[in-house]
Structures are given as structure tokens and as C-alpha cells.
């Protein structure tokens, strides 16, 4: 027996309407345990799209930069100091300025400066603390303590720059590497940490240099301050002497031994 369907278009339209009016979850092919949920399908597509976007972002983070050389800077090199030494007056100074040696700095400083004579012991026995002579002695003693330390700091800084050249160059090469060898996110973070460690070391060395500069400025200010104080004291003494002693022509028979012009 042959079944002939009339109006097939109506059947198709009716089936489409049935699908459109179906609930979000319905069985396929009459089997109850196989369910198609359009809402879950749309959510899954959205999640897959998000995962794909995150994957592309991670992939871009891992990929290397090809134009890193645009960030490249040059490490300033410090040449070794070569102090002239015609007659032995600066023996050891070249070594002191280029190495981290406190003994070399102290020896070189003593050689290059005028020593305080042992005869000053008798001379200063009659001086009081605060006198111009005592102040000058204090300035010399401060300078003798500070200056060798500053020379050592300079030598240590130069020596450290030389020793750190390889490490700095290696870090710079890795940071500017254009391949995928050192361009993963973890590797780049490690390079940043290494750069911060080098920066901290440089700042500490710079701090030692700045401390020396401040110390030297203190000694220089002391010299200028003592000179100004001596001038003021001299002016006050002259005024006091002139008001006490008559310097007119009528008293020429008397010799004034302590007069200051």
C-alpha cells in the first residue's frame, strides 16, 4: 500500500513551528536520555570563545619582541686613574684610586700630605681648645680621617664597576634577546628582578660616594668657618686694643708689642 502525503509544505511549516515552540530541553529521535539544550550550547560556545581569547593573549605574552634593541643603553665605562708620580710624592695613589684597599689609601694620603711636626706638642701645650691653632689641628685630623676613606670608596666603586661589567652585559643581552629563548613571562620577570638587584647595588655604591662628598664638604666648611671666625676675632681684638691703648703721636716713646693693624 502506498501512502501519499498531501501538502508537504504544510508538514514542513508545522514541524518548524513545533521546533520553535519547543522547550529549551527536549529529546532527540524519541530517546529520552539524549537531550539537546540550546541555552547550554550557547553558553558553551561563549566559554570556548573566552578560552580562545585567553589563549591568544597568553600566546602573545610568550612570543618574543623582535625590536628590543630600541631600548638598548650603553654602560658607562670608567677608565683607571693614573696619578702622576714624578718624585714619589704620590706613591700608592694610583693603586688606591683603582682598588678597594683602605691600607693603600691611608699610606698614599700620608705620603702626599704635609705631616704635623712632632714639635707642635710643646707649642700646643699652652693652647686651649677653641683657639685658632687648635681648630686648625682639628681640621687636619678630620681631613686625615675622612680623605683616605673617600679614596677607598672611589677605588671600590671603580673596582666594582669592572667586576660587574660581565654581569651587566649578560643581563642586558638577555633583556634585549629577540628570540623565544628568554621571552617567556617567568623568564622576563626574573630578568626584571635581576635588574632591580643590580640597581640596588648601584644605589648602595652611590650612597657611599655621596657620604664621602658630604664628609669632604664638612671639612671644607670647617676651614671656611674657622677663617671667618678668626677674622671676626681679630677685628674685635684690634678694636678693644685701640680703645685701651693710646696710639697717638704723643705717646711714641712707648712701644706697643701686641699691636695688630
Amino acid at each position: 500500500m502506498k501512502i501519499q502525503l498531501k501538502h508537504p509544505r504544510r508538514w514542513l511549516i508545522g514541524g518548524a513551528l513545533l521546533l520553535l515552540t519547543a522547550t529549551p530541553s527536549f529529546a532527540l529521535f524519541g530517546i529520552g536520555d539524549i537531550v539537546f539544550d540550546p541555552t547550554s550550547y550557547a553558553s558553551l560556545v561563549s566559554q570556548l570563545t573566552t578560552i580562545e581569547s585567553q589563549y591568544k593573549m597568553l600566546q602573545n605574552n610568550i612570543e618574543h619582541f623582535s625590536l628590543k634593541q630600541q631600548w638598548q643603553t650603553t654602560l658607562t665605562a670608567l677608565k683607571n686613574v693614573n696619578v702622576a708620580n714624578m718624585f714619589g710624592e704620590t706613591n700608592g695613589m694610583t693603586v688606591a684610586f683603582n682598588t678597594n684597599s683602605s691600607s693603600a689609601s691611608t699610606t698614599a694620603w700620608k705620603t702626599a700630605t704635609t705631616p704635623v711636626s712632632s714639635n707642635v706638642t710643646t707649642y700646643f701645650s699652652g693652647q686651649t681648645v677653641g683657639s685658632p691653632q687648635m681648630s686648625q689641628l682639628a681640621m687636619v685630623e678630620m681631613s686625615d680621617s675622612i680623605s683616605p676613606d673617600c679614596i677607598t670608596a672611589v677605588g671600590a666603586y671603580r673596582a666594582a664597576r669592572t667586576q660587574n661589567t660581565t654581569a651587566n652585559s649578560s643581563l642586558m643581552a638577555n633583556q634585549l634577546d629577540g628570540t623565544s629563548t628568554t621571552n617567556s613571562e617567568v623568564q622576563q620577570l626574573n630578568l626584571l628582578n635581576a635588574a632591580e638587584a643590580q640597581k640596588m647595588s648601584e644605589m648602595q655604591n652611590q650612597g657611599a660616594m655621596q657620604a664621602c662628598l658630604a664628609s669632604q664638604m664638612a671639612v671644607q666648611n670647617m676651614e671656611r668657618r674657622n677663617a671667618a671666625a678668626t677674622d671676626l676675632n681679630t677685628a674685635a681684638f684690634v678694636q678693644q686694643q685701640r680703645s685701651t691703648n693710646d696710639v697717638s703721636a704723643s705717646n711714641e716713646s712707648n712701644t706697643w708689642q701686641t699691636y695688630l693693624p
Side-chain angles (χ1 to χ4, degrees):
M1 180 178 63
K2 184 177 182 181
I3 299 175
Q4 184 176 2
L5 298 178
K6 298 181 179 180
H7 308 292
R9 179 177 294 179
R10 291 182 180 181
W11 285 100
L12 292 175
I13 294 174
L17 291 174
L18 179 62
L19 289 175
L20 291 175
T21 57
T23 59
S25 178
F26 56 89
L28 296 177
F29 309 113
I31 303 176
D33 59 345
I34 301 178
V35 178
F36 175 75
D37 189 347
T39 304
S40 299
Y41 176 76
S43 177
L44 179 61
V45 172
S46 177
Q47 292 178 9
L48 290 175
T49 304
T50 302
I51 293 174
E52 183 181 9
S53 177
Q54 293 176 349
Y55 171 76
K56 289 182 178 180
M57 182 182 68
L58 292 175
Q59 186 179 26
N60 291 332
N61 289 340
I62 296 175
E63 288 180 352
H64 62 271
F65 295 96
S66 59
L67 297 175
K68 283 189 171 184
Q69 278 67 25
Q70 62 184 327
W71 305 328
Q72 187 171 8
T73 58
T74 302
L75 178 65
T76 301
L78 293 176
K79 69 180 185 65
N80 289 338
V81 174
N82 187 14
V83 182
N85 187 22
M86 296 181 65
F87 305 102
E89 70 280 2
T90 58
N91 281 341
M93 193 65 74
T94 297
V95 176
F97 271 122
N98 294 300
T99 61
N100 184 11
S101 175
S102 58
S103 60
S105 300
T106 301
T107 302
W109 177 258
K110 289 182 178 179
T111 302
T113 56
T114 302
V116 177
S117 174
S118 59
N119 295 329
V120 300
T121 303
T122 303
Y123 175 73
F124 279 107
S125 61
Q127 301 291 330
T128 58
V129 176
S131 66
Q133 292 75 18
M134 281 289 188
S135 298
Q136 286 182 334
L137 179 61
M139 183 182 64
V140 169
E141 291 172 338
M142 287 178 59
S143 180
D144 287 343
S145 175
I146 292 172
S147 297
D149 283 346
C150 289
I151 295 174
T152 302
V154 173
Y157 183 77
R158 290 180 178 277
R161 290 278 289 188
T162 302
Q163 293 172 359
N164 295 337
T165 298
T166 302
N168 289 330
S169 300
S170 177
L171 176 62
M172 184 179 297
N174 289 331
Q175 288 177 329
L176 299 175
D177 181 21
T179 67
S180 58
T181 304
T182 59
N183 279 272
S184 69
E185 187 173 359
V186 174
Q187 289 169 331
Q188 288 294 307
L189 290 175
N190 287 335
L191 292 177
L192 289 176
N193 290 334
E196 288 297 321
Q198 288 189 359
K199 185 189 299 183
M200 179 63 69
S201 178
E202 178 68 17
M203 290 175 63
Q204 291 173 345
N205 291 331
Q206 292 285 344
M209 299 292 292
Q210 292 173 5
C212 284
L213 290 176
S215 301
Q216 293 286 6
M217 290 179 63
V219 174
Q220 294 176 3
N221 290 337
M222 183 179 184
E223 181 181 12
R224 298 179 61 182
R225 186 266 178 198
N226 288 343
T230 300
D231 289 342
L232 292 174
N233 293 338
T234 300
F237 177 75
V238 169
Q239 183 181 25
Q240 187 272 331
Q241 291 294 319
R242 286 182 176 179
S243 63
T244 303
N245 301 279
D246 188 1
V247 294
S248 60
S250 60
N251 292 320
E252 289 180 346
S253 59
N254 296 328
T255 302
W256 186 6
Q257 300 292 344
T258 59
Y259 174 75
L260 293 175

